[in-house]
Each structure stands twice: as structure tokens, then as C-alpha cells.
Amino acid sequence: MTNTYQLTLADIASQEAAYVETIFSLANGHLGLRASDPVMTSATAGTIVNGFYETRPIVYGEAAVGYAKNHQTIVNLPDLRHIHVQTATGDVFRASERQATTLNLATGQLTEQFELRTAADQRIRLTLTSVVGQTTNEIGLRYQFEAINYTGQLQVTKTLAAIDGDEASDDPRKARQVTSLNFATAQVSPRQTNVTITTQTSHKAITLGVLAMGEALTQTIELADKPVLDYIGAVSVIDQPLPAMVGDFATIAADSAQYWRKVWANSAITIEGDDQLTQALHYNLFQLNQAAGRDGVTNIAAKGLSGTGYEGHYFWDTEMYMLPYFIYTQPELARQLLAYRYSILPQARKRAKALGVAQGALFAWRTINGEEASAYYPAGTAQYHINADIAYAVGTYMDVTDDRDFLNQMGFEIVLETARFWAQFGSYRETQAGRRFEFFDVTGPDEYTAIVNNNYYTNRMAKHNLMLAQQLARLVDPAVLRRLNVLDSEVQAFGQIADDIYLPYNQEHQINAQDDSFFDKPVWPFESTPKSHYPLLLHYHPLTIYRHQVAKQADTILAEYLFPADTDQDQLLREYRYYEQITTHDSSLSRSVFSMVASRLNQMDAAYHFFMDTAQMDLVDLQGNAADGLHLANLGGSWLALTTGFAGMHIVNGQLQFTGHLPAAWSKLTFRVRYQNRLLQVEIDQQQLAVVLLEGDALTITIDGEIQTIRQA
Ligand code: IFM
């Protein structure tokens, strides 16, 4: 029987080192450790700190006004788990083979077994147990040694290994190499070494330290005693000194276990009939939790803290794919993630100005420090739907928590400033069909179509953003309206523009149109495209792709999932069928959305297949690049497909509603959500969907179209 809170080498796609390092990476929202071989150094090994980046000017062949100025690249820091092991006579254990690995999702402990070899084929076994503090930035490291054919003395030195040089790559999803770092090592005591790393251009500093629980960082041990060496690693807060290390292995392990107990109390999932799938979902949520910045000034990178892919940047992925999970299970953490967006509002205001908009804010498409870091504006800044995505997330957070303090302090301002941007960036046009508000030159979520007019998703989301600003203006403290110079006339104008926003529709296919020109283009020649030429982005010039009907990921369909009342089932089915045929799912952000829409259409086989690919994406290495880091948006997407897809969870006009659609392969699905200070357990079997109120006051909800009031038993 599969343990649904445990992952081993047998559960994953391959034993390739960089892939294994990603899958078993450990993190706590601030620091991330890849599960690299502790006696080797490699380009992919190392420690990552959320928000610790270096900048470098972007060199354009042909620059233009307002282009992003600097790359921001997350820095791969020395590997805290590294050790140097040699025999008494100086033979170094340089070769190593991973033999077993177990990640305990209930406690956060990772146990790995390696067989180490010297050049003279002397062999020993190393068992390394790693655990990351979840309320501290300390790491417990326990190294146990056993003899195989070498039985004598060992000399073990805890090191802070520098990172080997990275290889250059043409894959835009990989990170750039950072060479402008200064390292200052301090031997604090025989037991402790610190290294402070400063970046030359972003002017940031971080300190990493290692502390021996024995007498010194270098220790001589007898293999016959089956020796166990404990070390503590630690990482400072960015730009702060490293505090004294106070934990030992047991206290760090206890801290981690307690944290995960709390997480699982609200996040546990049971799929009766498929333990392996339950395990995959637990893994996904484990990694989502590990990746999320908890301090209000960091966020969730596209690869979390599992790798340096996408340079550690934060995208819309957070708000549209990951935040719902946190909003519904850990609203305090969701608030911190939104607080990060609030913290970069000044940069977003500047960015709006750079694009010629006097009032309002435009959030960067990809960033760490709030400034735009996308060097390719057609698939970067032009995806200004990110503004509405962030506002949408504020709306969901408010629906689920009714957190007025957040609204007054941050939430309203975010929604207001993004709404102001829409009001100025779009324009009215007289057409035969009447006067309408439009957005020209835009890129929607589908990155295989760029710089078009009236992307349906963007226009629909902008409409929502403006309506939300109007709605929240009625809830927010009037003092906030005064502080932000909001006049009634402005709020009314938001409502008018929202009403007038044009939503493209294709008469021929009787479906919402991805944009004004999408259906004029020839369909991509799918039949003559070899399998080896996917993802298309690695094989074709962007213009070859852009002038065809081909979608990298869910686009119009994403809008349909978000606004279920907009489209009837017949149209939705036509739309789903049409877009499904021309979508390659080259982006990991696609399948979860198709699964949700298929559920809504009761296309349960398709919903199930899309869901299985989503739920197991990194464990089967579906995209083929998990070695660079996990696909965090998809991890969140797997939770969405379960809750919004199979359980039909939506908030409609302030009321929580569920509609059950259980795949035939399962006998029962159970999960929990928090909603307005309540804890709910949702249970769906093949007959019915039931919601049990575990904590909090009675609540009126809609289940399968029927209004019900649920009370605690
Ligand atoms: O934000 C996504 C985008 O939608 C597709 N390309 C990858 C980005 C980061 O995950």
C-alpha cells in the first residue's frame, strides 16, 4: 500500500541527478536546498534564497523607450549539505551513488543513502537526514557512516562548497549564470564557519553558516562505531547578520513536524481508490507550502525554491494558480503573498508612467524587486493581464476572508491602482455595433499569440478589475477613499467602462474569440509537426508561431473557468472543443484549466486525463524540464482542478457553491477548506457531494444547485 505522506525514488520518473535534486528539494519559504549529492559539487547543487538576486544590464541590439533595464537573477549559493570525506591516509571519497531516498511529507525529513567510493575503490555508506526549520532558518543535518569494504578511520569536514560554473543555454526557461559575487569567509570558531555573499550590482548580502554539534567542523571518526555527526546550517535574512544558531537536530526536526501537522490539518486530501494519486497531491501541496514567501516582501517563484529556472522570478502564476490554495487553507499566508504585491506598488506606478499612463499602476510581468525584468516585451510587458490577475486574487481573498483590515491597508489600493491603469490604457471606439472600450496591442496568457487586439481573457479580466474597484469602494473605510483621492465620478466611470468593454465573439464558430484576429490565421500544421518539435518555442521562430492559430496554454478557456456564469453549457462545449484542438499544452499552466472546464461540462474522461497529467506532472517529468525546478503554478493547478473542477467550488454573489463531478475511477474524494472563519470538509462520492462544518458558525451554501444551511454536528 502506498504511504500517501511519503515519496521515494520508486515514485519518480528517473534517477537523473539534477531531476532527483529538484524533486527532493527542501525549503521553508525563505531558503531552498536542492537534494544534491553531499560529497560532489555540481552546477545544479546549492542553496537558493527567496528574493536574493543579482542584477545585470539587459543588452538590447535595438533598444526602445521603456524597455526593461536589468536582468534580475536568483543566485545559486553554496551547498549547505556538502561535506568532504577522506580516509585516514588521505584518500578522498569523490564518487558517490545514490541508493535510497525517502521524503517524509508529514515531518519534512529527507533521508538519503549514498555509497561513497575513493579512487582506490574503498567504499562506505552515508545516510544523510536533512530537515529545514519552518519557523527558523536553521537546517538540521545528520550524517551517519557505515563501513562497506573500508572499515578504518574517516576524516569528515563540513564545508560550504562553492558552486561549479553553470553552462550557457538557449532555453529561455533556464537561469543565467551569476558571476559578480563576493565571498567573505569567517572562521567564527573551530565549530563554525560563516560565509557572507554580496552581490556587486544589486547590493545585497546574505550570510550562510555551518556549525558542528561536535568539537570542530573537522572530525576524525572510527567507522566501527557507526558514527553519527550532526551539523546545523543556517541562512540569514537578506541584508541582516546571521543570528547565533540555537537549534539542534531534534529541535529543528520538531519545529518542522509541528509546522507540517498544522498544514495537513487543513490540506489533507483523500482519494479513495487511488493512494498513489493522493500521494502525488500531498507532494504538490508540500512543495507549494515550501515555496511560498512568508514575510510579506517575497512571493512564490515560478520554480519555487527548488531550482533556478525562470531566474527565481515571480509571475502571474502566483495569483491565478497558487494563491487560491493558500486563500482557502491558510489565509494569513495568502495575505502575506498579497502584501508582497502591495510592497512593489511604487515600482508598478512607475511602470505605468513608463507606458504613458499618468495615473494607476502596472505590475511587472516577471520580477523579484518589482521592476520589469522581461527582456522580451511581446511575451512580457504586453501580458498586462497580470494587473487584473492580482486584483482578481484580492477579490477572492476578500470573498473568502472578509479581511477589512487588509482591504483598508492594502487591498483596495491595489485594486484601485490597477483599475486606474485599465481606464487609461484602453480606449473608446465608435463601431457599427456601438461605442465600445477596447485594448489594442496586448498579449493574453497564450504566449504563442502576441501583440493582438482585444484578447478575450484580458478584456474580461479588466472588466472584473473595474467592477471590483467599484464594489470595494463601497466596503472600504471612507478615510482610505479620501487618502487615495477617489471621487464618486471616478468610481462611476469604472462601472461605465466595465459595461462598455468589448468581449470578442466569433460568429462562425459561435464561441468567444481569443482575440480580434485569431480566427483569420491558418491553423498550425499539427499533422506535419514531429513530436520532437514540441515545445514549439524551442524549435520555431516566434513569428512562425504567432502567425498561426496555435495556443501554448489555456487562454479564453481560462476566462470561462473564472466566470462560470458568463457562458452557457452549449457554447462552453463548442469553445472547449475548438480550443482544445489547437492547444499544445507546451506551458505547464494549461492542463489544469482544461481539466476544470471539462469537469464543468461533465466530460469526465477528459477531465480525469488532464487532471492526472496535472497531478503527476513533475513526478513523471511530463514537461521534461523538472531538473530546472518544479512547475509551481501547475502544483497549485492540481489543487484547483480538484476543488474548483471536481467539486465545482465557486463563490457566486457572495455565496459558496459546490457541484460534484467525481471521476469514475474514484469512489470518494475528501478535502478541507477554510471559509470566513470556518473549517469545512467536502466529501464527494459517486452519489452525492456533502459539506461537513467542522469549525465555526452555521453557513448557507449551495450544493448541486440547492441552497442549504450547514451546522456543526
Ligand atoms: O507565467 C508563465 C507563463 O504563463 C507561461 N510561461 C511560463 C511562465 C512562468 O511559469
Side-chain angles (χ1 to χ4, degrees), residues 209-435:
V210 283
L211 172 76
M213 298 314 277
E215 275 171 14
L217 285 162
T218 298
Q219 299 178 57
T220 302
I221 50 180
E222 290 289 343
L223 272 170
D225 301 338
K226 293 202 176 169
V228 177
L229 299 180
D230 279 2
Y231 296 91
I232 305 302
V235 176
S236 73
V237 169
I238 296 171
D239 291 338
Q240 290 192 20
L242 185 70
M245 289 181 235
V246 292
D248 57 17
F249 187 89
T251 55
I252 297 168
D255 175 56
S256 171
Q258 193 186 8
Y259 173 85
W260 290 109
R261 250 195 313 279
K262 279 197 203 140
V263 169
W264 296 123
N266 290 346
S267 298
I269 288 167
T270 317
I271 295 179
E272 284 176 23
D274 199 337
D275 283 353
Q276 216 184 339
L277 183 59
T278 307
Q279 172 202 46
L281 291 163
H282 284 162
Y283 173 76
N284 293 354
L285 299 183
F286 180 85
Q287 288 294 2
L288 256 186
N289 274 281
Q290 291 206 114
R294 302 169 191 171
D295 54 10
V297 291
T298 55
N299 204 265
I300 313 178
K303 301 286 183 188
L305 296 167
S306 68
T308 56
Y310 286 120
E311 307 198 60
H313 291 169
Y314 314 133
F315 292 77
W316 71 309
D317 305 28
T318 302
E319 282 75 16
M320 298 318 290
Y321 287 82
M322 309 183 230
L323 207 58
Y325 162 71
F326 291 108
I327 292 174
Y328 279 103
T329 61
Q330 294 172 68
E332 324 71 44
L333 182 46
R335 179 178 164 143
Q336 292 296 78
L337 292 164
L338 288 169
Y340 161 78
R341 290 297 186 187
Y342 184 72
S343 78
I344 59 166
L345 205 44
Q347 292 91 314
R349 288 195 176 101
K350 264 176 102 175
R351 190 73 189 138
K353 291 207 170 61
L355 291 196
V357 172
Q359 245 202 330
L362 172 61
F363 284 98
W365 171 245
R366 54 187 293 173
T367 191
I368 296 175
N369 67 10
E371 290 166 13
E372 180 60 85
S374 172
Y376 184 60
Y377 85 87
T381 303
Q383 293 199 56
Y384 43 83
H385 62 78
I386 187 167
N387 251 20
D389 303 331
I390 293 170
Y392 186 93
V394 171
T396 309
Y397 176 79
M398 286 306 299
D399 280 346
V400 174
T401 64
D402 198 22
D403 180 350
R404 300 293 173 99
D405 178 67
F406 167 79
L407 181 70
N408 291 329
Q409 296 210 16
M410 301 179 249
F412 181 71
E413 201 169 331
I414 293 176
V415 176
L416 172 74
E417 290 293 80
T418 47
R420 284 176 168 163
F421 174 85
W422 293 116
Q424 294 193 27
F425 205 61
S427 42
Y428 270 105
R429 186 159 73 103
E430 295 297 338
T431 70
Q432 282 180 342
R435 191 167 182 258

Side-chain angles (χ1 to χ4, degrees), residues 13 35 60 109 112 255-256 312 349 361 386 407 482 493 510 522 558 642 688:
Y60 294 98
Q109 278 195 40
E112 298 156 280
D255 175 56
S256 171
R349 288 195 176 101
I386 187 167
L407 181 70
R482 287 194 293 277
Q510 303 269 298
L558 178 57
L642 201 75
Q688 59 161 13

Side-chain angles (χ1 to χ4, degrees), residues 173 302 310 315-317 365 383 445 447 552-553 587-589 633:
R173 300 167 298 181
Y310 286 120
F315 292 77
W316 71 309
D317 305 28
W365 171 245
Q383 293 199 56
E447 294 177 331
K552 185 181 181 192
Q553 63 206 92
S587 162
S588 63
L589 281 69

